[in-house]
Amino acid sequence: MAAAPTDRQPLLVNSDVISNDDNNNCNSASISTSSDITSSLSGGGDKEMAPVPGSSIHRSGSRPQLDLSGAAIQGNFEEKDPTILLPNQSDDISHLALDIGGSLIKLVYFSRHEDRLINNRRTKSVKEKFGLPTGIRRSYPILGGRLHFVKFETHKINECLDFINSKQLHRGGMDSLGWQSEVESNENAVIKATGGGAYRFADLFKEKLGVTIDKEDEMNCLVAGANFLLKAIRHEAFTHMEGHKEFVQIDQNDLFPYLLVNIGSGVSIIKVDGDGKFQRVSGTNVGGGTYWGLGRLLTKCKSFDELLELSQRGDNSNIDMLVGDIYGGLDYSKIGLSASTIASSFGKTISENKELGDYRPEDISLSLLRMISYNIGQIAYLNALRFGLKRIFFGGFFIRGHAYTMDTISFAVQFWSKGEAKAMFLRHEGFLGALGAFMSYEKHGLDDLMVHQLVERFPMGAPYTGGKIHGPPLGDLNEKISWMEKFVQKGTEITAPVPMAPPGTTGLGGFEVPSSKGDSLRSDASNLNVGVLHLVPTLEVFPLLADPKTYEPNTIDLLDRGELDYWFTVLSAHLPDLVDKAVASEGGTEDAKRRGDAFARAFSAHLARLMEEPAAYGKLGLANLLELREECLREFYFVDAYRSIKQRENEASLAVLPDLLLELDGMDEERRLLMLIEGVLAANIFDWGSRACVDLYHKGTIIEIYRMSRDKMHRPWRVDDFDVFKERMLGSGDKKPHPHKRALLFVDNSGADIVLGMLPLAREFLRRGTEVVLVANSLPALNDVTAMELPEIVAEASKSCDILRRAAVAGGLLVDAMISSQDSSVDNSSSVPLMVVENGCGSPCIDLRQVSSELAAAAKDADLIILEGMGRSLHTNYNAKFKCEALKLAMVKNQRLAEKLIKGNIYDCVCRYEPAS
């Protein structure tokens, strides 16, 4: 459903309802997006209906500064309680804020990411080359910090206190020792809180944790939280009609004024005119508390969720009087009423001689839900009409992501507005107050945040720590034999590691698919620890995209149920092998086995959730699924599951590189260029992320795989633009080509792929006077090479190649101390540079709307892009158009992808050349 026109200002309606104390579906330590706003926000009497002037949030300097620069939700574009990452955080702190309602406590807390070692020489050189600030912090979003969202039932407040204490959140967190020691000596530690419980439990927090509650105004926090979400998060708002969810991008420059309608026990409607500028303009005492209260009396349900679940099986026509009941089954078309329109909620019971026990509880629950939801939707629209607003946003614990509730509210808004207004909902609907309290700390304001962006990822909350990485070394081979023969000897030593975990401890065992289906309320939703907002300051849109507004990275449409089923089957089938590699990478320890099993269960839970509700995490593409898998691995402390494999394959490939380069140098230009492209395509087969290639690894050695791949190189390829590319590179007849100024080479796998494929191609551009930038992952993903690993690979390759050595020195990858004395006479001043930049992600795919600042800077003078590998050039970006020339190279290693994308077969090759758009 498309967003409503923006010629009038948007309306935001946020809903939040109280849940009962016996809600067994609320896991006390789960990460979930539910929230309840206390009865102090409920509408009712005249006093509550009167407008309340807004005021700005008080700022407190009780803690070190939190650097919100670059906030970004990564990946989870719908989950109820996503978390946030802060990469530029310099103070070791762990802020905590709470919204303590009548039935739920909502926590928002910040945690640090542990910085990894970085190549300061490379980073400094790149920043100086591209005119970037020369700070030492990473430019990608994974590191820095995150905002987590957790809920507890209020009557279990001691569990909440234990959770805070176990993570030392009130003292700066376990990952913030400097701040912790400082706070321990200060008995006046303060944490921010809002909601009625901030007053009710203030003494308990002082007694149990030794901290003082700094109480923040509830409505101030509510508005601040809503402003934060709508301005900072790309996929926060969505429409929901007839079971279809569609995300809507909000223009933050066209946000105010809007209405924030909060459904707690009752409903408050707040008109927001700007940051800190608002007033309560309306409300009603018929809200979530009404539904739960009447439902408990009429159905004997023992929890709010049970009542909602009951409504899934109801038929309200057995209780409600419909238009068709009045007009003999006919519509009242003159005034636009269909026969199924409710004329009177519970009206049919008037004329029936039945007692309460004669009616099904399921029908009562549904009738009650529709009655209250319709009325809330109608009141919201009337206020929208009053202020000239067309878009309405709903959120809150009353909704809980419940599809039928959202559909009912949406129908009411559409009905009364005659289709001109849209009901919209928020993914973080339950955490507005807690977010507002969090932002009330000094330097947590929205203005500080807006210069950056938010990305959503898929963390799992792993409880374990990682172990050492082990791998048997390979000896050097110095025999004077051909590069292919040498590669044979090195390659025979590289086979798939023997699984370290005993049968039954990894894979999919132990996970039960949730019993609730389709549009039903998920009983296990609160148990999935997903949705972390990563605060990321330095991600940018790739400047060479021809049209960023229409750019869509994914080429596979997972809205197609057949595609969804297929790819989920592929990922599930690959999971046991992936777990084996991860466990083996850490020596097969008992701890690694436990973490491997936990990773498999967590990832399986995500897949099951997405099979049940494909839009649960936002607009779903194959890139999202692959990123989800990598985030899950990292969250369970498998930082680089394929590290030992990559090291051994790099060694085998580097040992034969000099012989390959010698062979290439003996060819004429035309034959050499073809050999180089063939080499990239053949070497791209070494991909541990492909099920077919994993099977090949298990059957043979890498040299056998490579030989099979070379046999596939006969032209024409399935997509074959080589001749056009050759003419651009070499010219034709008397027409001499001009060299490219700068080429960006997006590299893929370690081992033969980078060493025997992309490095020789990069070398060819260097010898033609083209600057070359190797673009690699910021974090590991399967056996993909990373920007941290590339300088060492280039340094080894440079030992036997003057072209690479001079370019590496010019690009800052090598320093004088790394160059032997015999090379001191070589003049490097005139060499074009070979550089390495990180792309800003840790996935086999890449979304060019979110790249590192150094890649964006490197792209500004580039006139050629080479995207290599299935993930970067087929799964994503195959249809992308660029302002400069582009070459997309890949061997297809998935039969389904081959059929869908290029009408071919597995192991077909793609060489797609595109001139500048």
Side-chain angles (χ1 to χ4, degrees):
M1 185 181 301
T6 57
D7 56 329
R8 303 170 76 177
Q9 297 293 338
L11 162 73
L12 173 68
V13 181
N14 174 2
S15 54
D16 195 8
V17 75
I18 279 205
S19 135
N20 89 306
D21 289 342
D22 298 323
N23 181 357
N24 294 324
N25 288 328
C26 287
N27 186 314
S28 63
S30 67
I31 302 284
S32 136
T33 95
S34 356
S35 146
D36 82 81
I37 302 298
T38 61
S39 58
S40 62
L41 285 182
S42 64
D46 292 338
K47 180 178 179 180
E48 291 180 325
M49 294 291 288
V52 178
S55 59
S56 61
I57 290 183
H58 168 70
R59 303 286 178 194
S60 168
S62 60
R63 292 205 169 194
Q65 290 187 5
L66 177 65
D67 188 349
L68 289 184
S69 56
I73 300 187
Q74 300 173 311
N76 282 12
F77 294 133
E78 187 275 343
E79 183 58 34
K80 309 297 291 176
D81 51 345
T83 313
I84 308 180
L85 164 72
L86 308 169
N88 278 8
Q89 182 58 44
S90 57
D91 292 329
D92 285 329
I93 58 175
S94 202
H95 285 255
L96 165 70
L98 302 97
D99 178 3
I100 310 176
S103 48
L104 285 179
I105 303 171
K106 286 76 61 180
L107 280 77
V108 174
Y109 73 90
F110 166 77
S111 69
R112 286 293 308 274
H113 273 257
E114 181 181 354
D115 279 329
R116 300 181 334 120
L117 296 175
I118 63 176
N119 187 326
N120 287 328
R121 181 184 69 254
R122 181 200 66 81
T123 302
K124 183 178 179 181
S125 174
V126 166
K127 288 179 180 295
E128 289 176 349
K129 176 72 176 178
F130 301 138
L132 297 172
T134 56
I136 62 170
R137 297 199 64 81
R138 302 294 295 201
S139 63
Y140 55 83
I142 315 300
L143 304 176
R146 306 182 300 191
L147 288 180
H148 302 261
F149 298 80
V150 188
K151 67 178 174 61
F152 294 85
E153 294 175 75
T154 302
H155 78 280
K156 297 179 180 179
I157 188 169
N158 285 325
E159 292 184 4
C160 174
L161 294 171
D162 289 342
F163 175 79
I164 294 173
N165 187 56
S166 67
K167 287 185 172 290
Q168 291 291 290
L169 299 179
H170 59 308
R171 300 186 184 278
M174 293 183 292
D175 53 354
S176 311
L177 299 179
W179 168 239
Q180 180 176 343
S181 60
E182 186 177 324
V183 175
E184 285 175 343
S185 62
N186 178 9
E187 296 181 357
N188 298 316
V190 176
I191 59 176
K192 297 286 187 177
T194 189
Y199 298 87
R200 178 183 171 191
F201 297 113
D203 292 340
L204 185 61
F205 272 80
K206 187 68 174 179
E207 175 188 348
K208 296 286 189 180
L209 300 178
V211 299
T212 299
I213 295 291
D214 190 356
K215 306 171 186 66
E216 294 292 332
D217 179 77
E218 196 161 2
M219 204 163 290
N220 280 358
C221 291
L222 201 65
V223 171
N227 285 347
F228 172 88
L229 295 173
L230 289 171
K231 283 191 171 186
I233 300 175
R234 183 168 62 183
H235 290 98
E236 177 64 29
F238 62 92
T239 59
H240 201 287
M241 179 66 75
E242 297 180 353
H244 178 69
K245 180 180 297 179
E246 183 170 323
F247 293 92
V248 179
Q249 184 64 28
I250 304 300
D251 183 357
Q252 61 175 304
N253 298 317
D254 192 34
L255 175 61
F256 303 114
Y258 67 80
L259 291 185
L260 175 62
V261 178
N262 184 69
I263 305 178
S265 298
V267 181
S268 285
I269 301 180
I270 308 163
K271 182 175 181 287
V272 182
D273 295 299
D275 293 325
K277 299 177 182 178
F278 62 88
Q279 62 176 199
R280 185 178 187 275
V281 296
S282 186
T284 172
N285 59 347
V286 178
T290 311
Y291 175 60
W292 170 224
L294 286 175
R296 188 169 187 175
L297 291 173
L298 296 174
T299 68
K300 308 302 181 183
C301 283
K302 296 181 179 180
S303 75
F304 188 94
D305 283 343
E306 183 184 353
L307 185 64
L308 274 181
E309 194 70 54
L310 205 63
S311 70
Q312 294 297 131
R313 304 187 296 273
D315 181 356
N316 68 298
S317 65
N318 294 326
I319 292 179
D320 294 338
M321 182 181 293
L322 309 181
V323 169
D325 295 327
I326 300 173
Y327 291 95
L330 302 177
D331 298 337
Y332 191 175
S333 55
K334 183 177 181 179
I335 59 175
L337 297 178
S338 68
S340 61
T341 300
I342 299 175
S344 175
S345 294
F346 289 85
K348 192 171 289 185
T349 63
I350 299 173
S351 58
E352 296 179 335
N353 186 23
K354 294 182 180 180
E355 301 296 327
L356 178 61
D358 296 327
Y359 292 97
R360 297 173 65 237
E362 294 88 342
D363 299 340
I364 295 173
S365 175
L366 182 59
S367 179
L368 188 60
L369 177 65
R370 296 188 70 169
M371 178 183 76
I372 293 173
S373 297
Y374 279 148
N375 275 273
I376 292 173
Q378 181 181 10
I379 293 171
Y381 168 68
L382 292 176
N383 278 279
L385 186 64
R386 174 185 174 190
F387 292 104
L389 307 172
K390 282 193 172 181
R391 292 188 299 183
I392 308 175
F393 297 75
F394 292 84
F397 199 52
F398 171 66
I399 296 173
R400 303 189 183 199
H402 191 232
Y404 194 87
T405 303
M406 292 187 287
D407 280 349
T408 304
I409 292 175
S410 296
F411 178 84
V413 171
Q414 183 185 54
F415 178 83
W416 291 109
S417 70
K418 294 181 171 59
E420 292 192 4
K422 304 291 183 184
M424 299 179 69
F425 306 91
L426 303 175
R427 287 180 295 111
H428 293 79
E429 57 194 6
F431 287 86
L432 300 184
L435 269 172
F438 179 84
M439 297 183 66
S440 68
Y441 286 109
E442 187 71 16
K443 299 298 182 182
H444 289 44
L446 202 58
D447 291 340
D448 301 311
L449 180 69
M450 285 304 102
V451 295
H452 312 289
Q453 64 173 294
L454 290 148
V455 180
E456 187 174 10
R457 296 214 189 279
F458 311 86
M460 295 302 209
Y464 304 110
T465 59
K468 298 294 183 182
I469 296 175
H470 302 286
L474 292 178
D476 293 329
L477 290 176
N478 298 314
E479 297 88 344
K480 299 298 182 181
I481 55 178
S482 72
W483 73 270
M484 175 62 78
E485 291 171 328
K486 194 177 293 184
F487 192 41
V488 169
Q489 295 189 37
K490 294 293 289 188
T492 55
E493 302 179 52
I494 302 174
T495 58
V498 177
M500 302 297 292
T505 62
T506 61
L508 304 178
F511 178 74
E512 295 181 3
V513 178
S515 58
S516 56
K517 300 293 182 184
D519 293 340
S520 63
L521 182 74
R522 291 183 49 83
S523 61
D524 68 329
S526 63
N527 295 323
L528 286 177
N529 181 3
V530 296
V532 178
L533 290 182
H534 295 247
L535 297 175
V536 184
T538 54
L539 290 185
E540 302 179 29
V541 175
F542 189 57
L544 292 178
L545 285 175
D547 186 358
K549 292 183 179 180
T550 60
Y551 168 75
E552 168 55 47
N554 292 291
T555 54
I556 302 297
D557 183 9
L558 294 186
L559 291 178
D560 181 328
R561 191 71 196 190
E563 289 295 321
L564 190 67
D565 290 344
Y566 172 80
W567 288 103
F568 277 27
T569 300
V570 169
L571 289 174
S572 296
H574 185 242
L575 186 55
D577 184 85
L578 176 58
V579 174
D580 289 339
K581 301 298 183 300
V583 172
S585 74
E586 305 221 349
T589 65
E590 289 301 317
D591 174 68
K593 293 174 185 177
R594 286 193 298 270
R595 286 186 285 116
D597 188 59
F599 156 71
R601 292 171 185 270
F603 185 55
S604 299
H606 277 294
L607 292 181
R609 170 72 188 274
L610 290 169
M611 281 294 292
E612 191 173 323
E613 186 184 354
Y617 303 154
K619 188 175 182 180
L620 184 63
L622 188 55
N624 304 109
L625 285 178
L626 297 177
E627 183 183 29
L628 168 60
R629 179 181 61 189
E630 300 307 317
E631 278 294 316
C632 290
L633 278 170
R634 284 190 282 271
E635 200 64 24
F636 286 95
Y637 291 93
F638 293 109
V639 177
D640 192 350
Y642 286 78
R643 181 175 177 181
S644 59
I645 294 174
K646 290 191 294 182
Q647 289 174 336
R648 287 179 287 171
E649 292 193 356
N650 286 339
E651 289 182 20
S653 301
L654 285 165
V656 304
L657 177 62
D659 302 289
L660 170 60
L661 297 181
L662 187 62
E663 183 176 322
L664 287 168
D665 288 343
M667 300 177 180
D668 60 63
E669 280 191 325
E670 183 172 339
R671 173 60 185 148
R672 184 169 68 241
L673 185 62
L674 177 59
M675 180 74 170
L676 286 166
I677 298 301
E678 286 181 346
V680 170
L681 294 172
N684 189 236
I685 196 172
F686 295 99
D687 186 349
W688 283 89
S690 163
R691 178 73 260 174
C693 292
V694 170
D695 291 341
L696 290 177
Y697 273 106
H698 287 174
K699 294 175 182 176
T701 63
I702 62 174
I703 187 57
E704 292 169 331
I705 300 172
Y706 189 74
R707 280 177 168 162
M708 184 275 289
S709 182
R710 294 293 303 193
D711 289 340
K712 297 286 184 180
M713 290 301 101
H714 303 296
R715 296 182 63 201
W717 301 314
R718 176 58 61 176
V719 177
D720 195 341
D721 294 334
F722 174 76
D723 291 333
V724 181
F725 178 66
K726 180 184 68 174
E727 182 175 339
R728 168 62 185 89
M729 290 288 291
L730 306 181
S732 61
D734 295 333
K735 181 181 179 182
K736 298 297 183 183
H738 65 275
H740 295 93
K741 180 179 180 181
R742 178 182 294 167
L744 302 181
L745 276 60
F746 287 75
V747 297
D748 190 7
N749 304 301
S750 293
D753 198 350
I754 179 65
V755 176
L756 304 180
M758 291 299 279
L759 270 185
L761 181 61
R763 177 177 178 264
E764 183 69 18
F765 282 104
L766 291 169
R767 73 194 304 169
R768 292 174 179 275
T770 300
E771 295 182 355
V772 174
V773 180
L774 301 176
V775 184
N777 271 10
S778 298
L779 289 179
L782 296 173
N783 64 318
D784 289 0
V785 68
T786 67
M788 186 179 297
E789 296 162 343
L790 263 180
E792 182 178 348
I793 295 174
V794 171
E796 287 297 315
S798 298
K799 290 179 179 179
S800 56
C801 176
D802 287 343
I803 297 174
L804 289 177
R805 181 167 61 254
R806 289 194 298 267
V809 172
L813 297 179
L814 296 178
V815 295
D816 292 341
M818 299 176 66
I819 303 173
S820 64
S821 58
Q822 65 184 19
D823 299 321
S824 58
S825 60
V826 178
D827 181 13
N828 301 301
S829 60
S830 61
S831 297
V832 291
L834 171 63
M835 296 166 283
V836 172
V837 301
E838 52 191 344
N839 58 22
C841 75
S843 167
C845 300
I846 185 169
D847 182 345
L848 293 174
R849 293 169 298 194
Q850 296 177 338
V851 302
S852 70
S853 58
E854 60 184 51
L855 172 54
K860 291 177 182 176
D861 291 325
D863 50 3
L864 174 64
I865 295 170
I866 298 181
L867 290 162
E868 184 232 0
M870 282 207 310
R872 292 158 187 80
S873 65
L874 298 183
H875 289 152
T876 54
N877 301 306
Y878 188 68
N879 299 318
K881 301 298 181 183
F882 299 98
K883 297 176 182 178
C884 66
E885 298 171 55
L887 181 65
K888 300 170 184 178
L889 301 171
M891 174 178 282
V892 185
K893 291 151 287 189
N894 178 277
Q895 183 62 43
R896 181 86 165 202
L897 185 67
E899 295 170 354
K900 289 286 184 178
L901 201 60
I902 62 173
K903 311 299 182 186
N905 297 300
I906 193 169
Y907 304 128
D908 276 344
C909 292
V910 172
C911 175
R912 184 177 187 179
Y913 173 73
E914 300 165 351
S917 297

